[in-house]
Amino acid sequence: MSTTTTGRLAGKRTVITGVTGGMGRVACRMFCEAGARVIGSDLDEAVGRGLEEELGAAGHDFTFKAADVTSEAEVEALAGFVRQRWDGLDVLYNNAGIILGKPLLGTTVEEWDRLHAVNTRSVFLAIRAFAPLMGAGGSIVNISSGGGARAMRNMSAYGSSKAGVILLTKVAALELAPDIRVNAILPGTIDTPMPRNFISRVPAGGEREAAWQALGDGRPLKRVGLPEEVVPLAIFLASDEASFITGVDYFVDGGRAAA
Ligand code: NAI
């Protein structure tokens, strides 16, 4: 799939979280291809260094810095690293996240808290740490989920944590205006390790294939999406082309929200 984004983020100093996962990895590559300078963060130092080497070899300006997005101290340290490196920031892309599929009555307090820490508190911590580095024209893009806007069985912790991201986005848009725009993206099922691992509990073989197929069939476009179909919207929202857009949540879900 080819998407022309060359130069649309020329020189934009960008922080992306969750960069070693499915969508984060593609986001780093596509943001760099669009001309951004990127500091990417995730948990695993070795995997992150591998990504840094890969993008560096392709001539991109990408640096990896490990951080746990649930930790106030580590997010603040990441902001300190960015301040030292660039003395400012143009784009924050909050992408890190985890999923849990469990009935509400079987969900433990630890699981509930973990989901909200990784998916929601992380966005609060990052906005609080990075917004002070962003001047006029700054843009924050938060990855929520279609599951944050639609009730689904076994998704009480995940859905509520992602619903929190939607409202947090809108409040931040109000409070950080007029300098910084804040928007959210709500992907439907996208082919990354997250739904693949999730579905790996279905018995291997035809049954698993059928379950995967059913994820696609549930939406008008009859398939799951690709990271390359989500990231271009993030690039648009991060760019100056979206200069009059803030406080909005966008579905990228093959039409599921309309069905
Ligand atoms: P993924 O599992 O491939 O990537 C998530 C990344 O977040 C991983 O690299 C992981 O190490 C990182 N991460 C987890 N906990 C962290 C922590 N405490 N600190 C720092 N990094 C941490 O998943 P995928 O699909 O790439 O997901 C990206 C975002 O998109 C997530 O927020 C997810 O909830 C959201 N999303 C994904 C959908 C999908 O179908 N793939 C659908 C809707 C939303």
Side-chain angles (χ1 to χ4, degrees):
M1 177 171 309
S2 82
T3 311
T4 305
T5 53
T6 316
R8 286 169 71 186
L9 297 178
K12 295 267 190 206
R13 299 160 300 179
T14 301
V15 165
I16 305 178
T17 66
V19 294
T20 67
M23 276 201 264
R25 202 168 261 281
V26 173
C28 290
R29 176 176 55 77
M30 293 185 79
F31 268 64
C32 285
E33 287 170 356
R37 291 182 279 163
V38 178
I39 291 176
S41 189
D42 207 305
L43 294 170
D44 193 309
E45 180 83 41
V47 182
R49 291 279 159 245
L51 180 63
E52 188 177 270
E53 272 173 34
E54 184 187 314
L55 292 173
H60 297 311
D61 186 343
F62 177 85
T63 305
F64 178 79
K65 179 87 178 132
D68 178 342
V69 291
T70 68
S71 158
E72 179 182 7
E74 293 191 27
V75 172
E76 291 292 340
L78 182 62
F81 179 80
V82 169
R83 190 181 301 110
Q84 230 178 7
R85 170 70 62 98
W86 289 330
D87 196 29
L89 185 69
D90 302 301
V91 178
L92 170 64
Y93 183 177
N94 286 308
N95 167 73
I98 54 172
I99 195 168
L100 176 75
K102 258 194 162 182
L104 190 157
L105 298 186
T107 300
T108 66
V109 170
E110 290 72 24
E111 288 168 335
W112 175 272
D113 286 348
R114 184 78 195 143
L115 265 285
H116 284 78
V118 178
N119 292 347
T120 323
R121 185 172 69 190
S122 64
V123 178
F124 158 68
L125 288 177
I127 292 176
R128 209 182 50 163
F130 289 103
L133 301 184
M134 302 173 87
S139 173
I140 299 174
V141 180
N142 298 324
I143 297 297
S144 173
S145 168
R150 177 191 189 106
M152 288 187 282
R153 285 174 198 284
N154 301 326
M155 288 286 164
S156 58
Y158 183 75
S160 60
S161 70
K162 289 296 191 179
V165 173
I166 298 171
L167 204 70
L168 181 54
T169 298
K170 292 175 194 284
V171 173
L174 298 182
E175 293 189 11
L176 300 179
D179 284 347
I180 303 171
R181 298 178 297 100
V182 192
N183 294 289
I185 297 178
L186 284 57
T189 305
I190 305 298
D191 194 351
T192 71
M194 181 179 279
R196 289 276 176 191
N197 293 339
F198 189 69
I199 218 156
S200 66
R201 268 174 276 140
V202 176
E207 220 178 310
R208 190 178 297 166
E209 261 322 297
W212 183 256
Q213 189 59 40
L215 283 177
D217 287 347
R219 50 201 82 237
L221 295 188
K222 297 286 178 212
R223 62 179 177 84
V224 303
L226 298 171
E228 287 82 353
E229 294 175 303
V230 177
V231 176
L233 176 57
I235 290 176
F236 168 68
L237 291 172
S239 78
D240 297 336
E241 292 166 62
S243 54
F244 202 50
I245 299 175
T246 194
V248 185
D249 46 288
Y250 292 90
F251 289 94
V252 182
D253 67 350
R256 175 77 193 267

